[in-house]
Amino acid sequence: MTVVARRARGATSGAGRLAVALLSPTFVVLALVVGYPLVAALRESVFREGTDLDESGFVVEGARFVGVDNYASVFAGESAVRFWNAFSNTTVFTVITVSLEVVIGVGMALVMHHALCWRGVVRASILVPWAVPTAVSALLWRWIFQADGVANSIIGQQVLWTTEGWQAKFAIILADVWKTAPFVGLLVLAGLQIIPNDVYEAARVDGASPWRQFWRITLPLVKPALLVAVLFRVLDALRMFDLPYVLIGPRKASAETLSMLAFEEAASLRFGPAAAYATLLFVYVAVTALVFVRLLGADVIGAARERAAKR
Amino acid sequence: MNRRVSRGIAEGVTVVIAAVVAFPLYWMVLTALKPDAEVISTDPRPWTLAPTLDSFVRALTVQSFGRYLLNSIVVAVAVVLLSLLISFLAATALTRFRFRSRTTLLIMLLVVQMVPVEALTIPLFFLMQSVRDVAPVFGLNHLGSLVLVHLAFSLPFAIWMLRGFVAAVPVELEEAATLDGASRSRFLWSVLFPLVAPGLVATSVLSFIHAWNDFLFAKTFIISAAENQTLPLALQVFVKPDQNDWGAIMAGSTLMTIPVLVFFILVQRRLVAGLAGAVKS
């Protein structure tokens, strides 16, 4: 479309139509693969499968509408205990792993940024764990944490890592931090690239110590990159699934996360309750993201809004 | 002097971190190379005096590893190419055009990132079942189903990242191109596309790793077509209750990690530059 044609038709409607055309492949894919199953899951969460008796005593088969029953049963009796356990596991894993990943990730980024010799090798070796497939790294850590594995022979104790208890949580956290701290490191490293050197020169001339330079210059300037990394990490960690599933195994109270709970329910063909768990997890993640964006990362969305306003 | 000391400390810390990070990987390769007797020994030694390729041979021959490797590559490459194309178009629309629902759309993309994927496998399974009736290539038991799902879940992050790169290209450039008589589509492909190349590299790494790593969807969608399995599932063959063949598992894991590493090392320099561009905007 040429300028003339655009002017003639009115820039906004033409641009709007083009924008829609450019966005349509994204829409189609997301509506099909994400939208439809999400709606289906929401619908499923108010139905229950199986044979049952209705109010008048007739036998009914197939899915029945049960309203909020599936949700109610999540919070009743034994399943309430299981749900809250999974909820607290998920929360604990997320808080601890993301905090550790931020600290270690920033450290790694600084090391990668300042490494003098063998820069490429240092970078690559630090980033490799993130590139290792999760299924592989979970198996790898399971091998390390075997009863007669190398972890025990290093500490000289006999810990049964993959059984119920604190050690299972520790194993998951260690494996997850090992795998994803490099991801945070990578995003922070990218953020470091854009800090101009003369800022540090000036600080050095003013006699600022390296420690002070870090807190006063590096951290504030790297903050936007760090926030995006933390946001995406939190969203991912709340949905943690395959690492605890392969490393520790399903149906273990110390390791069960909300994703695993929903998956287990679905695997035992209880689709209604499974969909209820999935919906609750989705709400939990969404609320967390909202709070996060409100409290810390107003600029994550704000940047978009600002730019929109500018044009 | 002081400076040299602190530099020395920094170098030392670097080496220690790299070593800690690398150790589990060393252990993986070492296990793959150890002879069986040493692998099951209760007293693991951090080296081996008799390295052997037996485990690799087992991993490669017990089943058609090559076929699975090819499947994994096909899926990953298709996802990378399609997500580059689609996210580039979407990112352009979201940065270059002003329309009211733009912020809403960006937040919607973020929402996709929050969907608990594992919890949606059942509805997705039924979806793929119905897709099979319409377009078999994208339905159950076909690699297309995997491509479709990974494409959807790698788009949000890709679009978010590319947005910054597209925004960094000055609007004047577009005006100049238009004045020179270039059409919109010509501008898109001949001017904008090459300019955001670093961003495309970063995006492609993320999509590649995303698709390559998948275990769950391959397990859910490829149920009765063994010839369409991907690598992560092939590994599971060696996982048996109480008597895992750890040598073969680690050999398979090593083989599975190598392509990612190669891809990664090839693009890591551009990757960092690419991400830097995304952050800058």
Side-chain angles (χ1 to χ4, degrees):
Chain A
M1 206 185 286
T2 63
V3 172
V4 185
R6 221 169 82 221
R7 293 249 163 86
R9 268 199 226 162
T12 358
S13 79
R17 224 171 294 140
L18 188 56
V20 170
L22 292 178
L23 281 168
S24 55
T26 308
F27 276 133
V28 171
V29 173
L30 290 184
L32 188 68
V33 181
V34 184
Y36 168 77
L38 201 59
V39 173
L42 279 174
R43 198 189 142 271
E44 226 162 58
S45 74
V46 292
F47 281 85
R48 189 166 292 175
E49 294 275 340
T51 321
D52 244 313
L53 297 179
D54 68 2
E55 293 99 4
S56 41
F58 286 108
V59 177
V60 279
E61 281 203 40
R64 279 179 314 124
F65 181 75
V66 293
V68 294
D69 274 14
N70 285 328
Y71 293 94
S73 64
V74 167
F75 295 104
E78 226 166 88
S79 57
V81 178
R82 200 169 167 207
F83 174 80
W84 288 116
N85 173 59
F87 181 85
S88 85
N89 278 346
T90 307
T91 312
V92 166
F93 288 152
T94 304
V95 171
I96 298 183
T97 55
V98 176
S99 324
L100 287 174
E101 280 157 27
V102 167
V103 175
I104 298 173
V106 170
M108 284 175 166
L110 290 173
V111 163
M112 288 187 276
H113 192 56
H114 292 293
L116 297 173
C117 50
W118 298 19
R119 199 168 178 159
V121 177
V122 167
R123 261 190 198 176
S125 73
I126 286 183
L127 292 176
V128 161
W130 175 63
V132 174
T134 314
V136 169
S137 71
L139 281 173
L140 173 59
W141 283 100
R142 198 163 119 195
W143 167 233
I144 289 175
F145 282 129
Q146 290 267 306
D148 52 5
V150 67
N152 277 342
S153 65
I154 286 177
I155 59 172
Q157 308 242 313
Q158 281 294 317
V159 181
L160 295 172
W161 293 98
T162 53
T163 53
E164 295 275 8
W166 63 269
Q167 68 276 20
K169 288 192 172 63
F170 180 85
I172 292 173
I173 290 170
L174 181 63
D176 192 63
V177 170
W178 177 77
K179 182 168 168 51
T180 37
F183 172 72
V184 178
L186 182 66
L187 286 176
V188 174
L189 176 65
L192 287 174
Q193 307 292 310
I194 56 167
I195 302 178
N197 249 333
D198 37 341
V199 183
Y200 290 106
E201 294 286 336
R204 223 169 284 138
V205 171
D206 290 349
S209 67
W211 190 242
R212 229 178 121 78
Q213 286 175 27
F214 172 74
W215 285 104
R216 287 304 177 82
I217 302 172
T218 313
L219 213 52
L221 285 175
V222 106
K223 199 176 135 202
L226 194 57
L227 283 180
V228 173
V230 171
L231 177 63
F232 275 88
R233 272 308 301 146
V234 168
L235 300 189
D236 276 354
L238 286 174
R239 301 176 301 157
M240 191 191 285
F241 174 78
D242 31 6
L243 183 66
Y245 197 87
V246 179
L247 178 57
I248 308 295
R251 288 183 299 281
K252 294 229 175 96
S254 335
E256 192 163 64
T257 64
L258 287 172
S259 274
M260 287 165 78
L261 192 53
F263 184 80
E264 279 296 306
E265 287 292 298
S268 10
L269 302 180
R270 287 196 294 273
F271 297 148
Y277 282 123
T279 310
L280 288 170
L281 172 58
F282 179 60
V283 171
Y284 182 36
V285 177
V287 168
T288 311
L290 200 72
V291 170
F292 187 91
V293 170
R294 273 282 150 79
L295 284 184
L296 288 165
D299 30 335
V300 175
I301 305 287
R305 210 170 276 154
E306 211 172 273
R307 220 175 290 137
K310 233 185 262 168
R311 256 185 226 142
Chain B
M1 180 62 205
N2 199 353
R3 244 187 127 166
R4 199 176 297 159
V5 170
S6 67
R7 182 168 293 178
I9 292 172
E11 300 270 290
V13 172
T14 310
V15 171
V16 170
I17 290 185
V20 170
V21 166
F23 176 75
L25 294 168
Y26 167 71
W27 204 253
M28 171 171 89
V29 179
L30 179 72
T31 308
L33 289 172
K34 274 181 177 176
D36 274 352
E38 274 187 52
V39 170
I40 53 170
S41 142
T42 48
D43 177 32
R45 270 182 307 170
W47 67 84
T48 177
L49 297 175
T52 156
L53 291 176
D54 283 358
S55 302
F56 285 96
V57 172
R58 263 202 320 287
L60 284 170
T61 50
V62 161
Q63 40 182 326
S64 29
F65 199 91
R67 171 84 211 201
Y68 298 150
L69 178 72
L70 188 68
N71 286 344
S72 273
I73 291 178
V74 166
V75 171
V77 169
V79 170
V80 166
L81 294 180
L82 286 173
S83 84
L84 278 186
L85 180 69
I86 296 181
S87 61
F88 171 64
L89 295 180
T92 309
L94 286 170
T95 32
R96 290 278 150 171
F97 301 101
R98 196 175 12 154
F99 49 94
R100 218 172 304 147
S101 45
R102 188 155 73 163
T103 312
T104 321
L105 283 175
L106 283 171
I107 294 174
M108 264 175 61
L109 288 175
L110 206 58
V111 171
V112 173
Q113 196 76 23
M114 302 173 200
V115 173
V117 190
E118 293 76 16
L120 286 186
T121 43
I122 299 298
L124 274 170
F125 177 84
F126 290 126
L127 171 74
M128 292 309 168
Q129 209 169 28
S130 2
V131 167
R132 186 176 51 180
D133 302 333
V134 188
V137 194
F138 293 104
L140 280 188
N141 282 333
H142 285 276
L143 294 178
S145 62
L146 299 178
V147 173
L148 196 59
V149 181
H150 293 307
L151 180 61
F153 287 103
S154 58
L155 277 180
F157 196 73
I159 296 175
W160 265 76
M161 228 161 68
L162 274 182
R163 207 167 53 100
F165 288 94
V166 179
V169 176
V171 185
E172 292 75 38
L173 207 63
E174 185 177 356
E175 278 155 12
T178 328
L179 282 180
D180 287 347
S183 64
R184 272 285 171 117
S185 64
R186 176 105 201 242
F187 168 75
L188 270 185
W189 297 117
S190 317
V191 182
L192 200 54
F193 196 75
L195 280 176
V196 297
L200 295 170
V201 171
T203 317
S204 68
V205 179
L206 296 172
S207 317
F208 184 89
I209 288 180
H210 190 97
W212 189 263
N213 283 359
D214 165 66
F215 169 72
L216 186 75
F217 290 123
K219 192 181 155 137
T220 317
F221 296 156
I222 313 292
I223 35 172
S224 58
E227 75 277 8
N228 281 341
Q229 284 295 15
T230 53
L231 274 186
L233 275 159
L235 280 183
Q236 297 298 316
V237 171
F238 300 105
V239 182
K240 299 174 198 111
D242 300 325
Q243 44 165 5
N244 299 330
D245 183 350
W246 283 110
I249 294 176
M250 290 301 136
S253 301
T254 309
L255 290 173
M256 198 180 151
T257 308
I258 290 172
V260 195
L261 280 193
V262 171
F263 186 63
F264 195 78
I265 289 169
L266 284 179
V267 297
Q268 57 101 4
R269 197 178 298 264
R270 306 201 97 211
L271 175 68
V272 172
L275 288 169
V279 170
K280 194 178 200 162
S281 56

